[in-house]
Amino acid sequence: MLYAPPSAVNKTDNPKSDKTPQFRKNIYTQEIKNFILGKIESGEMTQAEVIREYSIPKSTLHRWIQKKI
């Protein structure tokens, strides 16, 4: 006998076809941004220290600094 793979169970059950939009949760509140930018502006921490300590992506931190100016 030849092997035949099982047929697809339900192809219409696709999570991308939901009508409700999927939003990304913003985990950085304005208070957190101000706290971190305050540490940089006061000289208490450097940008590299903030990136290492709080695990914030470098591009995100640079974007915050640009918007602050």
Side-chain angles (χ1 to χ4, degrees):
M1 289 192 139
L2 298 174
Y3 172 75
S7 62
V9 177
N10 189 0
K11 287 187 178 181
T12 60
D13 189 24
N14 189 354
K16 292 182 182 178
S17 67
D18 290 342
K19 298 296 180 195
T20 59
Q22 299 293 325
F23 295 104
R24 290 180 58 189
K25 184 178 178 184
N26 186 1
I27 60 173
Y28 302 112
T29 63
Q30 192 61 42
E31 291 82 16
I32 292 174
K33 292 178 189 178
N34 291 338
F35 172 76
I36 292 172
L37 290 175
K39 286 200 174 261
I40 293 172
E41 290 172 356
S42 69
E44 191 175 334
M45 296 179 86
T46 65
Q47 291 182 18
E49 291 171 339
V50 168
I51 292 168
R52 187 174 46 251
E53 178 85 18
Y54 298 111
S55 301
I56 296 174
K58 188 187 332 183
S59 60
T60 301
L61 183 62
H62 289 289
R63 198 172 325 123
W64 293 352
I65 293 169
Q66 281 296 322
K67 287 184 179 181
K68 184 81 171 179
I69 295 175

